[in-house]
Amino acid sequence: MKKGFASDNNSGVHPAILKAMSEANHGHVKGYGDDPFTQKAIGAFKEKFGQETEVFFVFNGTGANVLGLSTVTRSFHSIICAETAHIEEDECGAPEKFTGCKLLPVEPVNGKLTPERIQHHLKGFDFEHHSQPRVISISQVTEMGTVYQPEEIRALAGLAHQNNMLLHMDGARIANAAVSLNLEFKTFTKDCGVDVLSFGGTKNGMMMGEAVLFFNPELTTYTKYLRKQSMQLYSKMRFVGAQFLAYFENDLWKETATHANKMAKLLEAHVSKIPEIKITQPVDANGVFAEVPPEIIKTLQQKFFFYMWNEKRSEVRWMTSFDTTEEEIYEFVELIKKLIKKSSN
Amino acid sequence: MKKGFASDNNSGVHPAILKAMSEANHGHVKGYGDDPFTQKAIGAFKEKFGQETEVFFVFNGTGANVLGLSTVTRSFHSIICAETAHIEEDECGAPEKFTGCKLLPVEPVNGKLTPERIQHHLKGFDFEHHSQPRVISISQVTEMGTVYQPEEIRALAGLAHQNNMLLHMDGARIANAAVSLNLEFKTFTKDCGVDVLSFGGTKNGMMMGEAVLFFNPELTTYTKYLRKQSMQLYSKMRFVGAQFLAYFENDLWKETATHANKMAKLLEAHVSKIPEIKITQPVDANGVFAEVPPEIIKTLQQKFFFYMWNEKRSEVRWMTSFDTTEEEIYEFVELIKKLIKKSSN
Amino acid sequence: MKKGFASDNNSGVHPAILKAMSEANHGHVKGYGDDPFTQKAIGAFKEKFGQETEVFFVFNGTGANVLGLSTVTRSFHSIICAETAHIEEDECGAPEKFTGCKLLPVEPVNGKLTPERIQHHLKGFDFEHHSQPRVISISQVTEMGTVYQPEEIRALAGLAHQNNMLLHMDGARIANAAVSLNLEFKTFTKDCGVDVLSFGGTKNGMMMGEAVLFFNPELTTYTKYLRKQSMQLYSKMRFVGAQFLAYFENDLWKETATHANKMAKLLEAHVSKIPEIKITQPVDANGVFAEVPPEIIKTLQQKFFFYMWNEKRSEVRWMTSFDTTEEEIYEFVELIKKLIKKSSN
Amino acid sequence: MKKGFASDNNSGVHPAILKAMSEANHGHVKGYGDDPFTQKAIGAFKEKFGQETEVFFVFNGTGANVLGLSTVTRSFHSIICAETAHIEEDECGAPEKFTGCKLLPVEPVNGKLTPERIQHHLKGFDFEHHSQPRVISISQVTEMGTVYQPEEIRALAGLAHQNNMLLHMDGARIANAAVSLNLEFKTFTKDCGVDVLSFGGTKNGMMMGEAVLFFNPELTTYTKYLRKQSMQLYSKMRFVGAQFLAYFENDLWKETATHANKMAKLLEAHVSKIPEIKITQPVDANGVFAEVPPEIIKTLQQKFFFYMWNEKRSEVRWMTSFDTTEEEIYEFVELIKKLIKKSSN
């Protein structure tokens, strides 16, 4: 299939990561994480986030979010998130099913939560009829391709902690955010007050495997049981450990995310010049959201696959990836122009 | 305690109902519903709603809602309701915990859902990443004291059925609605397309016990197991059956609900003349919502207990009950006037 | 219906309890337990069990067991119980559904757990693949009509506590046990190391309502939320409070339980003389288990309803109640003799 | 780490499978299974099991079991399995947590269920107090290393179907069973009446990924939602598809499983000659269970890691793998002999 702009998980695996997996494929190691690859990878996370960080590998992003949330909640809690959040829109109710919690969706501003928008949900504390607010969950990069600034995160963390709540970050695209902000991972997560972090790599060149990070070890007494019970404990875990080691080596993650973000900027630069197209969100990372003439979409999708975002507004989402090429961007933009011209005749 | 306006469940039990319970207290009957009182009460419901109606008694309103919803959902479904709905605000997450479903809250208009406000949630059908919309749930009377007109219910039922969904009605105050509409129960429920009905009596003079009604018997293959598993199967069920028999006899329910509604209208009539007070919702049934000068509230509550509804707007909720008297209304109104006068000096 | 020997919950309500409910039916009180009846009843429990006891009222026995267990478990825990336990056999999976825990059934000795029989389940601690043993749950009176001696309870509690586990007691028939042991409630529960107690009254003359008692208040931080979420929070709770007050007044519970136990002993004394009948369990409380000629059972049940216990062994269960009369016992025994005689001709 | 006998999942990935994964790593394909590798792999399963088979890929064995079971159960059902079953002993309660069902463990005979041992659980049908028996679940190979004969499976399936129940097979080591029986997969699964099959490959040379097979497509209406909600939907699913394609190509699975089984037989042949060691289970596949002098175990484990099975009986489990060599067996046996000799001096 021709590469398209459907999702950064339609790409394959970065060759350096595949190579590391192959090199890990020698002899026997203990299963379920008690192996040198996993242990070294955990060490690499601790180096980046601080030694007291607790690290749990899981299979995928939904697993990471659910394990992170279930670790810090009981069933009578509520979790505040954006209406567009992955945990609200795209996990088929896994958070509710597994945690028993209520999710409280909030209309975001450019994909982001703000203290003001959350305020009305901070009520009913200690009142047994009401699900108890326990977590604010944000996505970094957001589902709208925008990136929270550190002060925005700090404000949300502050609000959470004032109310005896925690801040969870869904970092499925955290590398793209780090590159966009030009900051170390730790600076805009732990240092801003994030308590629980889903750290993703699959959308940025890994094969599978995500990490759940807890910055307060006291939270994690039971996490290992919850991981197993949530079907997220991988027997041959060395193959996740080996990937993360390669991902961090020579800042491979930065190289791939930088490229993906750059491709999105390139795409934005070109399509923003087309008067029939309207960019609808700030392009902070590797996603471009745009309103496009509806009559060209089907044909465009046949050549370069991508998803509709909002049928009513004729808004589409174009994701770039670590392996998107400049040529593909140019070819895509040309096709858009051609189709628009054709349709306006 | 002096009677207040806190809730219609702060009242006791209507004497006729207590008498019926006492009369049911003779000899042995089989437990768990296989007794003549329960069977006759089920018969009384079938007479009102049609013979094919399936009736399940439970302990309370939350139990009724959860049993009704869990009967017609699987864990990957979603349930659309008002932000103010009891299932969203006041059941501490019981629906999520027991059904595993996602609740999708919608900002209501005077406590009511409308097809327009629901529309944006009717998406993602057949898409495995998205919780599948399955139920629209409304409250009749709403939590804002308003009452749906039959055509409003019909429109929501139509929208639900078009989308292969069902309409659930939380009828914790259904008697007050029937009186307000001056319609038979069946006319504005089953005949308008309601599929599942939580039929409450506790707020209108019963001691405990609610009924869950299903108008399509095919839905209820497993309901009896779900009732037991949800801890809602009452051993000495005759004491619920006996209550419902008394409740329906000589339309006792109508007498008590008519009185409660009338008291709310009386209260509305008087307080609406006080310029410092603003009635905020149509008074369709037995609840009056009003913005009240904040400085009088504490003192007022000490004499006649009631709850704040919205601290920020200084909005209170006053509920009348089957045993509220005209004298209490007058005394209450006089106290309000006196306190306002005092505070303005 | 003629009184039978089906279950102690086929009986009605003791007149003194009904009277107390009627007397509580005056004026308004706050809902959900913040009323004088409930508060006094909680006080009565604290007097019996110690001031630090935490007391939560619920609707029924299954609700009590599930609330007690869910308070002290997380989903990755396991609960050890007898194969015959109510939580294993008769709650349609409510414990698993609501707590997420694994139940580990053990073949009991005369309905009782012993340390020896439990031992093989005390394994896998700290091993993430294995549900973590957390609770030993016993029934007092057992489902086989037998009663644990204090030293038997102490041994189980000791074993539990050694393993950082808790002891739960399902006391649906705890009054019958107290009478049988001739001990105060506290002596064979809290004083023997029980941590969580489901205290039932419905089978001994109450209408509905059970209490969950926790002897370590630190366990109950979240119990109020779990009660609401498990649909067990009763709005007009005064009617449970009033019952328990009457139940404890003048030791009414003792009078009713003494009578029921006495009737079982009377029945045992008479049927044990019939050579065709074999009593299969010690008659410690108000249940008689017996193997009965299969050919007489149907006819016998038509006159005095009761349940088969074990079809294969032709074993039946006869429960006596607070309102069973000596005449009924005599009449029943005579009928048995007559039917046996008839069938042997 | 030196290869040991701890588990077949301590091994790595067969080179041919890793090569196939690498070859699948080109360009973009749609995520979540709508790619040619996944579709071809599904086709390969359909060829083996019949075109009407429905195939769902998941991450791991626990995920496969839980998805299979949750597809065919509701929360009020029960699942009968061996006390030694993976779903009972080794999944930290994931089945209970996700399905809400009760698991009914049965003492097996050499790891196997028999109709006789199950019989007493087949009761309470239609009785709302009792979890409804719905599934019999067996493991092939069993957790004790034994293999069900086709007629044994047929007998269990017959019993299940007679009672309107289904037969689930946990085939984490199904390849080893197929080789042991010298039968096609279909012959001892679908053709014997198995309804739901967890088909594993990870323990036989794959990296990750299992398949859940349903032989009646009508069961699977909702499986795709349950897979997503159970966090088992893999974004880059092509890398599971590619593995299964390689696994089936030229019967790679047979080659690897044949070898593993052969190594177990070799190990058995040699240790069975050592008088101090007692083989405790028939060696049907790739596991050897043996009672070993306790004093040699620690030292032996330091050289060749393996797990204790039963501390009390000093019983150990030795698993062989596709990459176990004859030399390793010989070296291991020699060490055992040496240690025994040493300890007896």
Side-chain angles (χ1 to χ4, degrees):
Chain A
M1 193 171 95
K2 199 184 186 59
K3 277 185 274 174
F5 301 93
S7 175
D8 29 12
N9 64 31
N10 285 13
S11 65
V13 181
H14 191 280
I17 287 173
L18 201 56
K19 185 159 165 276
M21 297 175 84
S22 178
E23 288 169 2
N25 191 34
H26 289 292
H28 279 204
V29 298
K30 281 193 203 171
Y32 304 107
D34 192 8
D35 69 83
F37 302 94
T38 302
Q39 294 307 312
K40 268 185 222 161
I42 288 175
F45 273 103
K46 285 175 179 271
E47 256 176 60
K48 289 196 181 308
F49 288 96
Q51 288 304 317
E52 70 290 18
T53 305
E54 293 290 333
V55 183
F56 293 83
F57 294 141
V58 296
F59 284 115
N60 65 358
T62 298
N65 288 335
V66 170
L67 182 61
L69 294 170
S70 66
T71 289
V72 299
T73 57
R74 294 286 304 260
S75 62
F76 48 81
H77 283 134
S78 61
I79 298 162
I80 299 171
C81 63
E83 281 175 3
T84 48
H86 202 264
I87 59 173
E88 175 68 8
E89 278 286 291
D90 299 305
E91 301 188 350
C92 203
E96 283 92 343
K97 169 76 176 173
F98 198 78
T99 69
C101 293
K102 179 178 284 300
L103 267 67
L104 294 172
V106 169
E107 197 192 341
V109 186
N110 290 130
K112 297 183 194 175
L113 293 185
T114 66
E116 293 69 34
R117 299 245 161 157
I118 285 170
Q119 200 63 56
H120 71 289
H121 282 309
L122 303 180
K123 66 173 181 195
F125 291 100
D126 209 37
F127 183 54
E128 69 198 305
H129 300 259
H130 197 71
S131 293
Q132 297 295 295
R134 173 66 176 154
V135 177
I136 299 174
S137 176
I138 60 175
S139 301
Q140 176 78 316
V141 178
T142 74
E143 287 75 12
M144 304 309 296
T146 54
V147 171
Y148 284 92
Q149 292 299 310
E151 58 270 21
E152 294 174 316
I153 297 167
R154 214 174 284 120
L156 290 165
L159 185 64
H161 299 157
Q162 268 169 42
N163 288 283
N164 202 22
M165 296 169 66
L166 300 173
L167 183 62
H168 166 255
M169 180 184 279
D170 176 352
R173 293 188 180 94
I174 193 169
N176 303 283
V179 161
S180 174
L181 294 167
N182 195 24
L183 290 173
E184 297 294 312
F185 290 125
K186 179 164 168 282
T187 313
F188 66 95
T189 58
K190 188 188 178 188
D191 292 351
C192 285
V194 170
D195 299 287
V196 184
L197 172 60
S198 300
F199 187 103
T202 309
K203 290 181 195 299
N204 190 32
M206 280 178 53
M207 184 185 277
M208 84 286 194
E210 314 263 321
V212 193
L213 276 58
F214 300 88
F215 300 123
N216 178 354
E218 286 174 25
L219 296 170
T220 62
T221 314
Y222 303 127
T223 309
K224 67 176 183 175
Y225 304 114
L226 292 168
R227 176 169 61 177
K228 178 64 195 174
Q229 199 177 30
S230 59
M231 302 162 266
Q232 293 292 316
L233 181 62
Y234 179 23
S235 57
K236 298 186 173 176
M237 204 187 280
R238 63 166 128 172
F239 294 107
V240 167
Q243 286 182 75
F244 272 119
L245 287 173
Y247 190 66
F248 288 138
E249 197 173 307
N250 302 321
D251 284 349
L252 173 62
W253 65 269
K254 193 182 280 186
E255 179 191 322
T256 48
T258 301
H259 180 77
N261 285 12
K262 203 176 126 195
M263 291 301 101
K265 276 293 184 193
L266 186 67
L267 178 57
E268 180 198 19
H270 284 275
V271 293
S272 64
K273 291 184 201 145
I274 306 176
E276 289 85 355
I277 289 185
K278 185 185 152 201
I279 305 287
T280 58
Q281 299 286 335
V283 178
D284 290 347
N286 66 324
V288 179
F289 289 75
E291 289 174 16
V292 171
E295 62 275 13
I296 74 160
I297 289 176
K298 281 257 164 73
T299 318
L300 195 58
Q301 280 175 322
Q302 276 159 18
K303 287 283 170 69
F304 293 86
F305 187 62
F306 58 85
Y307 289 104
M308 284 301 300
W309 187 256
N310 187 311
E311 198 89 39
K312 229 163 84 186
R313 291 197 302 266
S314 190
E315 187 182 20
V316 303
R317 184 187 80 161
W318 295 322
M319 300 302 298
T320 56
S321 172
F322 78 91
D323 61 355
T324 305
T325 63
E326 293 194 20
E327 290 67 37
E328 285 158 358
I329 301 285
Y330 294 139
E331 202 186 328
F332 185 55
V333 173
E334 286 314 304
L335 181 59
I336 294 174
K337 289 183 185 166
K338 203 178 97 184
L339 289 173
I340 287 178
K341 202 168 165 187
K342 206 172 168 184
S343 79
S344 63
N345 285 350
Chain B
M1 192 171 96
K2 197 181 185 64
K3 276 185 274 173
F5 301 94
S7 176
D8 28 11
N9 64 31
N10 285 13
S11 65
V13 182
H14 191 280
I17 286 174
L18 202 55
K19 185 159 165 275
M21 295 175 85
S22 178
E23 289 169 1
N25 191 34
H26 290 292
H28 280 203
V29 298
K30 282 193 201 171
Y32 304 106
D34 192 10
D35 70 82
F37 302 95
T38 302
Q39 294 308 311
K40 267 185 221 161
I42 289 174
F45 274 104
K46 286 175 179 269
E47 256 175 59
K48 289 196 181 308
F49 287 95
Q51 288 304 315
E52 71 289 18
T53 305
E54 293 291 333
V55 183
F56 293 83
F57 294 141
V58 295
F59 284 114
N60 65 357
T62 298
N65 288 335
V66 170
L67 183 60
L69 293 171
S70 67
T71 289
V72 300
T73 56
R74 295 286 303 261
S75 61
F76 49 81
H77 282 135
S78 61
I79 297 162
I80 299 170
C81 63
E83 280 175 2
T84 48
H86 202 264
I87 58 173
E88 175 68 9
E89 278 287 292
D90 301 304
E91 301 187 351
C92 203
E96 283 91 344
K97 168 77 174 172
F98 198 78
T99 69
C101 292
K102 179 177 284 302
L103 267 67
L104 294 171
V106 169
E107 197 192 340
V109 186
N110 290 129
K112 297 183 195 176
L113 293 185
T114 67
E116 293 69 34
R117 298 244 161 158
I118 286 172
Q119 200 64 57
H120 71 290
H121 282 308
L122 303 181
K123 67 174 180 194
F125 290 101
D126 208 37
F127 183 55
E128 69 197 305
H129 300 260
H130 197 71
S131 292
Q132 297 294 296
R134 173 65 176 155
V135 176
I136 299 173
S137 177
I138 60 176
S139 301
Q140 176 79 314
V141 179
T142 74
E143 287 75 12
M144 304 309 298
T146 55
V147 171
Y148 284 92
Q149 292 300 310
E151 57 271 21
E152 294 175 315
I153 298 167
R154 215 174 285 120
L156 290 165
L159 184 64
H161 299 157
Q162 268 169 43
N163 287 284
N164 202 22
M165 296 168 67
L166 299 173
L167 184 63
H168 167 254
M169 180 184 278
D170 176 351
R173 293 187 180 96
I174 193 169
N176 303 282
V179 161
S180 174
L181 293 168
N182 194 22
L183 290 173
E184 297 294 313
F185 290 124
K186 181 165 167 280
T187 312
F188 65 96
T189 57
K190 188 188 178 188
D191 293 352
C192 285
V194 170
D195 298 287
V196 184
L197 172 60
S198 300
F199 187 103
T202 309
K203 290 180 194 300
N204 190 33
M206 280 177 54
M207 183 184 277
M208 84 288 195
E210 313 264 322
V212 193
L213 275 58
F214 300 88
F215 300 124
N216 177 355
E218 286 174 24
L219 296 170
T220 61
T221 314
Y222 303 126
T223 308
K224 68 177 182 176
Y225 304 114
L226 292 167
R227 175 169 60 177
K228 178 64 195 174
Q229 200 177 29
S230 59
M231 303 161 266
Q232 291 293 316
L233 181 63
Y234 179 24
S235 57
K236 298 186 173 176
M237 204 187 281
R238 63 167 128 170
F239 294 107
V240 168
Q243 286 182 75
F244 272 119
L245 286 172
Y247 190 66
F248 288 138
E249 198 172 307
N250 303 322
D251 284 348
L252 174 62
W253 64 270
K254 193 183 280 187
E255 179 191 322
T256 49
T258 300
H259 179 78
N261 286 10
K262 204 177 125 194
M263 290 302 100
K265 276 293 184 194
L266 186 65
L267 178 57
E268 179 198 21
H270 285 274
V271 293
S272 64
K273 289 185 203 145
I274 306 174
E276 288 85 355
I277 289 185
K278 185 185 152 201
I279 305 286
T280 59
Q281 298 286 334
V283 178
D284 290 348
N286 66 325
V288 179
F289 289 75
E291 289 174 14
V292 171
E295 62 275 13
I296 74 161
I297 289 177
K298 280 257 162 74
T299 318
L300 195 57
Q301 281 174 322
Q302 276 159 18
K303 287 284 171 68
F304 293 87
F305 188 63
F306 58 86
Y307 290 104
M308 284 301 300
W309 187 256
N310 187 312
E311 198 89 38
K312 227 163 84 185
R313 290 198 301 265
S314 190
E315 188 182 19
V316 303
R317 186 188 79 160
W318 294 322
M319 300 303 298
T320 56
S321 172
F322 78 91
D323 61 356
T324 305
T325 64
E326 293 194 20
E327 289 66 36
E328 285 157 356
I329 301 285
Y330 295 139
E331 201 185 328
F332 185 56
V333 172
E334 286 314 304
L335 181 58
I336 293 174
K337 288 183 186 164
K338 202 178 99 185
L339 290 173
I340 287 178
K341 201 170 166 187
K342 205 173 171 185
S343 79
S344 64
N345 285 350
Chain C
M1 193 171 97
K2 196 183 188 62
K3 276 186 275 174
F5 301 94
S7 176
D8 29 12
N9 64 30
N10 285 13
S11 64
V13 182
H14 191 280
I17 286 174
L18 201 56
K19 185 160 165 277
M21 296 174 85
S22 178
E23 288 169 2
N25 191 34
H26 289 291
H28 279 203
V29 298
K30 282 194 202 169
Y32 304 106
D34 192 9
D35 69 83
F37 302 94
T38 303
Q39 293 308 312
K40 266 185 224 162
I42 289 174
F45 274 103
K46 285 174 181 271
E47 256 175 59
K48 290 195 180 309
F49 288 96
Q51 288 303 316
E52 71 290 18
T53 305
E54 293 291 332
V55 183
F56 293 83
F57 294 142
V58 296
F59 284 115
N60 65 357
T62 299
N65 288 335
V66 170
L67 182 61
L69 294 171
S70 67
T71 289
V72 300
T73 56
R74 294 285 305 259
S75 61
F76 48 82
H77 283 134
S78 61
I79 297 161
I80 298 171
C81 64
E83 280 175 3
T84 48
H86 203 263
I87 58 172
E88 174 70 7
E89 278 287 291
D90 299 306
E91 301 187 351
C92 204
E96 283 92 343
K97 168 77 175 173
F98 198 77
T99 68
C101 293
K102 180 178 284 300
L103 268 67
L104 293 173
V106 169
E107 198 192 340
V109 186
N110 291 131
K112 298 183 194 175
L113 293 185
T114 66
E116 293 68 36
R117 298 245 161 158
I118 285 171
Q119 201 62 55
H120 71 291
H121 283 308
L122 303 180
K123 67 173 179 194
F125 291 101
D126 208 37
F127 183 54
E128 69 197 306
H129 300 260
H130 197 70
S131 294
Q132 296 294 295
R134 172 68 176 153
V135 177
I136 298 173
S137 176
I138 60 176
S139 301
Q140 176 79 314
V141 179
T142 75
E143 287 75 13
M144 303 310 297
T146 54
V147 172
Y148 283 93
Q149 292 299 310
E151 59 271 22
E152 293 174 316
I153 298 168
R154 214 174 285 120
L156 290 165
L159 185 64
H161 299 157
Q162 267 169 43
N163 288 283
N164 201 21
M165 296 170 65
L166 300 172
L167 184 62
H168 166 255
M169 181 185 278
D170 175 351
R173 292 189 180 94
I174 192 169
N176 303 283
V179 162
S180 173
L181 293 168
N182 194 24
L183 290 173
E184 297 295 310
F185 290 126
K186 180 164 167 283
T187 314
F188 65 96
T189 58
K190 187 187 179 190
D191 293 351
C192 285
V194 169
D195 299 286
V196 184
L197 172 60
S198 300
F199 187 103
T202 310
K203 290 181 194 299
N204 190 33
M206 280 177 53
M207 184 185 276
M208 82 288 193
E210 313 264 321
V212 193
L213 275 59
F214 299 89
F215 301 123
N216 177 355
E218 287 175 24
L219 296 170
T220 63
T221 315
Y222 303 127
T223 309
K224 68 177 182 176
Y225 304 115
L226 291 168
R227 176 170 60 177
K228 177 64 195 175
Q229 199 177 30
S230 59
M231 303 162 265
Q232 291 292 316
L233 181 62
Y234 178 24
S235 57
K236 299 187 173 176
M237 205 187 281
R238 62 167 128 171
F239 294 107
V240 168
Q243 286 181 75
F244 272 118
L245 286 171
Y247 191 65
F248 288 138
E249 197 173 309
N250 303 322
D251 285 349
L252 174 61
W253 65 269
K254 193 182 282 189
E255 179 191 323
T256 48
T258 301
H259 180 78
N261 286 11
K262 202 176 125 195
M263 289 302 100
K265 277 293 186 193
L266 186 66
L267 179 56
E268 180 199 18
H270 285 275
V271 294
S272 64
K273 290 184 204 147
I274 306 177
E276 290 83 356
I277 290 185
K278 185 186 153 200
I279 305 287
T280 58
Q281 298 286 334
V283 178
D284 291 347
N286 67 324
V288 178
F289 290 74
E291 290 173 15
V292 171
E295 62 276 14
I296 75 161
I297 290 177
K298 280 257 162 73
T299 317
L300 194 58
Q301 280 174 323
Q302 277 159 18
K303 287 284 170 68
F304 294 86
F305 188 63
F306 58 86
Y307 291 104
M308 283 301 301
W309 187 256
N310 187 311
E311 199 89 38
K312 228 163 84 186
R313 290 199 301 265
S314 190
E315 188 182 20
V316 303
R317 185 187 79 161
W318 295 321
M319 299 303 298
T320 56
S321 172
F322 77 91
D323 61 356
T324 304
T325 64
E326 293 195 19
E327 291 66 36
E328 286 158 356
I329 301 284
Y330 295 139
E331 202 184 328
F332 184 56
V333 172
E334 286 314 304
L335 182 57
I336 293 173
K337 289 182 186 167
K338 202 177 99 185
L339 289 172
I340 288 179
K341 201 169 165 188
K342 206 173 169 185
S343 79
S344 64
N345 286 348
Chain D
M1 193 172 97
K2 197 183 186 66
K3 277 185 274 172
F5 301 94
S7 175
D8 28 12
N9 64 31
N10 285 14
S11 64
V13 183
H14 191 280
I17 287 174
L18 200 57
K19 185 158 164 278
M21 297 175 85
S22 179
E23 288 169 2
N25 190 35
H26 289 292
H28 280 203
V29 298
K30 281 194 202 169
Y32 304 107
D34 192 9
D35 69 82
F37 301 95
T38 302
Q39 294 308 312
K40 267 185 221 161
I42 290 175
F45 274 103
K46 286 176 180 268
E47 254 175 60
K48 288 194 181 311
F49 287 96
Q51 288 304 316
E52 70 289 16
T53 305
E54 293 290 333
V55 182
F56 293 83
F57 293 142
V58 296
F59 284 115
N60 64 359
T62 299
N65 288 336
V66 170
L67 182 60
L69 293 171
S70 67
T71 289
V72 299
T73 56
R74 295 286 303 261
S75 61
F76 48 81
H77 282 134
S78 60
I79 298 163
I80 299 169
C81 63
E83 280 176 3
T84 48
H86 202 263
I87 59 172
E88 176 69 9
E89 278 287 291
D90 299 305
E91 301 188 350
C92 202
E96 283 91 344
K97 168 76 175 171
F98 198 78
T99 69
C101 292
K102 180 178 283 301
L103 266 67
L104 294 172
V106 169
E107 197 192 341
V109 186
N110 290 131
K112 298 183 194 176
L113 293 185
T114 67
E116 293 68 35
R117 298 244 162 157
I118 285 171
Q119 201 64 55
H120 71 289
H121 282 309
L122 303 180
K123 67 173 179 195
F125 291 101
D126 209 39
F127 183 54
E128 68 197 305
H129 299 260
H130 197 71
S131 293
Q132 297 294 296
R134 173 66 177 155
V135 176
I136 299 173
S137 176
I138 59 175
S139 301
Q140 177 77 317
V141 180
T142 73
E143 287 75 13
M144 304 309 296
T146 54
V147 172
Y148 283 93
Q149 292 299 310
E151 58 272 20
E152 293 175 315
I153 298 168
R154 214 173 286 120
L156 290 165
L159 185 65
H161 298 157
Q162 268 169 42
N163 287 284
N164 202 22
M165 296 169 68
L166 299 173
L167 183 63
H168 166 256
M169 180 184 279
D170 176 351
R173 293 189 179 93
I174 193 169
N176 302 284
V179 161
S180 173
L181 293 168
N182 195 24
L183 289 173
E184 297 295 313
F185 290 125
K186 180 164 167 282
T187 312
F188 66 95
T189 58
K190 188 188 178 188
D191 293 352
C192 284
V194 170
D195 298 288
V196 184
L197 172 60
S198 300
F199 187 104
T202 309
K203 290 181 195 299
N204 190 31
M206 280 178 54
M207 184 185 276
M208 84 286 194
E210 313 264 321
V212 193
L213 276 58
F214 300 89
F215 301 123
N216 177 355
E218 286 175 25
L219 296 170
T220 63
T221 314
Y222 303 126
T223 308
K224 67 177 183 176
Y225 304 115
L226 292 168
R227 176 170 60 177
K228 177 65 195 174
Q229 200 177 30
S230 59
M231 302 162 266
Q232 292 292 316
L233 182 62
Y234 178 24
S235 57
K236 298 186 174 177
M237 205 187 281
R238 62 166 128 171
F239 294 106
V240 168
Q243 285 182 75
F244 272 119
L245 287 172
Y247 191 66
F248 288 138
E249 198 172 307
N250 302 323
D251 284 349
L252 174 62
W253 64 270
K254 193 181 282 187
E255 180 191 323
T256 49
T258 301
H259 180 78
N261 286 11
K262 204 176 124 194
M263 290 302 100
K265 276 293 185 194
L266 186 66
L267 178 57
E268 181 199 18
H270 284 275
V271 293
S272 63
K273 290 185 204 145
I274 306 175
E276 289 84 356
I277 290 185
K278 185 186 152 199
I279 305 286
T280 59
Q281 298 286 334
V283 179
D284 290 347
N286 66 324
V288 178
F289 289 75
E291 289 173 15
V292 171
E295 61 275 12
I296 74 161
I297 290 177
K298 281 256 162 75
T299 317
L300 195 58
Q301 280 175 323
Q302 276 159 17
K303 287 284 170 71
F304 293 86
F305 187 62
F306 57 86
Y307 290 104
M308 284 301 300
W309 187 255
N310 188 310
E311 199 88 39
K312 227 164 83 187
R313 290 198 301 265
S314 189
E315 187 182 20
V316 303
R317 185 188 80 160
W318 295 321
M319 300 302 298
T320 55
S321 172
F322 78 90
D323 62 356
T324 305
T325 63
E326 293 195 19
E327 290 67 35
E328 285 157 357
I329 301 285
Y330 294 139
E331 203 186 327
F332 184 56
V333 172
E334 286 314 304
L335 182 58
I336 294 174
K337 287 182 187 167
K338 203 178 99 187
L339 291 172
I340 288 179
K341 202 168 164 188
K342 207 173 168 184
S343 79
S344 61
N345 285 349

